[in-house]
Amino acid sequence: MRQLDTYGAVRARLGADALGVNLWLPPALAAALAAESRARTRLRAELDARRLEVVTLSGAPFAEGGGEKPGESSAGKPACKPADTSGGKPKPDSIAGASPAGASAGVAPPNSDAAEAAENKADNKAENKAENKADNKAASDKDPDWTDPARREYTLDLARVLLDLLDEDAVRGAVGTIGLGRREGWAEAEDKAAQGILRRLSHGLADLAWQSGRAVRVGFQPAEGDVLDTPEQTVTALSRVDKDRLGICLDLGHCERTWADPAAGIEAVTDAGLAIIEVRVAAVPGATTAKWRAGIRQLFGKQGPLTENLTLISRTPTPDQITNDVTYLLAELAAHGLQPENEPCAAR
């Protein structure tokens, strides 16, 4: 709980009534929390005691040791996160943004068993082929990609947990995950297996929305060397997904480093109908560039915000550093005439 205490301290220093936090939960803990409502209630009580709110969960790392970069936070209502690597305990991931006023969950009834059975028959063939190939990998591989059903189960566990952690007035939340898998070795069999698993993920999210009346969306994060990397690769790879429930978790630093024109890339992604479910940014004084600012203007310009959640990545997750980073990010936004829809609410 020391990590939660850190973000409680950040909330107090910012003078915010509440601070949004993004948690990373290892798979075993996510599964235990998803199965035990009393454990979710206890976690919610710990968050409430520190006036911390959760709108997003991170499912990018998989192994118990973690693997995310330390200190992320998000702003819409900004939230802060340290990705501490102690296994088995929830870790604040960053400052999380709440859904904008007026957003609706878009609840839809779950798919019928007959429809799922028809899709599953075809999906199983592709999954089995990809799984046979995956079996040849080292048994110590602890970070499955989206050809492995374990990734779907982990993500759905996070969605189940998130529904009980959301604030009462939140209509939906988000889970971030990897950019499908590594591009090297990704062929037709892997693509077919992943598409089948993504359909089942969408069905699972629809079931949860039908049961709870609130939605959880999943954002896939483009990264260098992943199936999702350039804007063109991202649009192609996600062209057949359920765009109401699946979209993009955009790392603005990745766009700045590897996309020729981040603003044009963002426009290409959204023009293809893909929602930018979460944006992750680093805001270090003196380190923000013209490409970074162009991306920010594209995301939060005159057409209105293209995302509900802005996550601030703090490389040194101490109360002082996180507070300084949040303050700097808000000043950068204000310099462009931009203002988060909600007041800052600490780490995500």
Side-chain angles (χ1 to χ4, degrees):
M1 294 299 167
R2 285 183 301 174
Q3 300 295 330
L4 297 183
D5 289 340
T6 295
Y7 291 101
V10 172
R11 180 203 58 74
R13 293 181 189 203
L14 289 170
D17 291 335
L19 182 66
V21 298
N22 171 304
L23 304 179
W24 175 72
L25 306 175
L29 180 57
L33 285 168
E36 178 53 67
S37 62
R38 286 179 295 181
R40 297 195 298 274
T41 300
R42 288 195 296 272
L43 177 55
R44 174 67 185 269
E46 294 289 349
L47 293 163
D48 288 346
R50 295 163 177 81
R51 285 191 276 168
L52 303 176
E53 297 179 355
V54 174
V55 182
T56 58
L57 294 180
S58 175
F62 193 91
E64 292 294 327
E68 287 212 323
K69 300 167 186 174
E72 297 178 2
S73 15
S74 63
K77 256 183 170 179
C80 304
K81 139 197 175 174
D84 150 32
T85 55
S86 59
K89 295 183 180 179
K91 303 162 190 174
D93 196 22
S94 51
I95 296 180
S99 302
S104 60
V107 176
N111 288 45
S112 69
D113 291 340
E116 272 197 44
E119 288 185 354
N120 289 347
K121 185 175 180 180
D123 293 344
N124 284 336
K125 291 182 180 179
E127 273 185 39
N128 290 338
K129 188 173 181 180
E131 283 173 6
N132 289 338
K133 185 174 180 179
D135 287 342
N136 294 326
K137 293 182 179 179
S140 60
D141 183 7
K142 295 180 179 179
D143 195 21
D145 60 25
W146 278 96
T147 64
D148 190 331
R151 178 64 69 175
R152 179 193 70 233
E153 293 308 316
Y154 174 39
T155 303
L156 287 175
D157 281 341
L158 291 173
R160 294 181 186 102
V161 173
L162 180 57
L163 285 169
D164 273 1
L165 298 183
L166 288 173
D167 195 56
E168 291 179 0
D169 61 357
V171 296
R172 62 184 174 192
V175 172
T177 186
I178 62 172
L180 295 186
R182 301 301 291 169
R183 178 162 292 279
E184 184 179 1
W186 190 275
E188 184 179 358
E190 285 73 22
D191 187 62
K192 286 183 177 178
Q195 293 300 326
I197 289 173
L198 293 180
R199 281 193 290 271
R200 294 184 186 186
L201 171 67
S202 180
H203 295 163
L205 294 172
D207 288 342
L208 292 175
W210 184 254
Q211 294 161 15
S212 68
R214 301 199 283 187
V216 173
R217 299 188 297 167
V218 174
F220 297 82
Q221 182 171 325
E224 195 166 3
D226 276 4
V227 177
L228 272 59
D229 189 346
T230 68
E232 297 77 15
Q233 290 168 336
T234 298
V235 169
T236 299
L238 297 181
S239 62
R240 292 172 287 166
V241 302
D242 174 1
K243 295 180 176 64
D244 289 334
R245 296 182 176 86
L246 310 181
I248 303 298
C249 174
L250 192 69
D251 178 353
L252 193 56
H254 168 70
C255 300
E256 179 187 10
R257 292 188 305 272
T258 66
W259 291 12
D261 185 339
I266 292 166
E267 185 176 11
V269 167
T270 55
D271 283 352
L274 291 168
I276 299 178
I277 292 170
E278 179 186 359
V279 174
R280 296 185 168 205
V281 301
V284 179
T288 50
T289 67
K291 290 173 72 174
W292 185 93
R293 293 187 176 94
I296 286 289
R297 285 194 297 270
Q298 183 67 29
L299 288 162
F300 301 97
K302 295 179 180 178
Q303 78 281 12
L306 298 180
T307 186
E308 295 177 358
N309 303 295
L310 178 60
T311 300
L312 174 63
I313 303 170
S314 273
R315 299 302 178 183
T316 308
T318 63
D320 284 344
Q321 187 61 56
I322 296 167
T323 303
N324 291 341
D325 287 350
V326 171
T327 302
Y328 179 73
L329 175 59
L330 293 177
E332 280 281 344
L333 294 174
H336 292 287
L338 308 174
Q339 192 68 33
E341 219 170 282
N342 301 302
E343 292 302 313
C345 81
R348 159 207 157 171

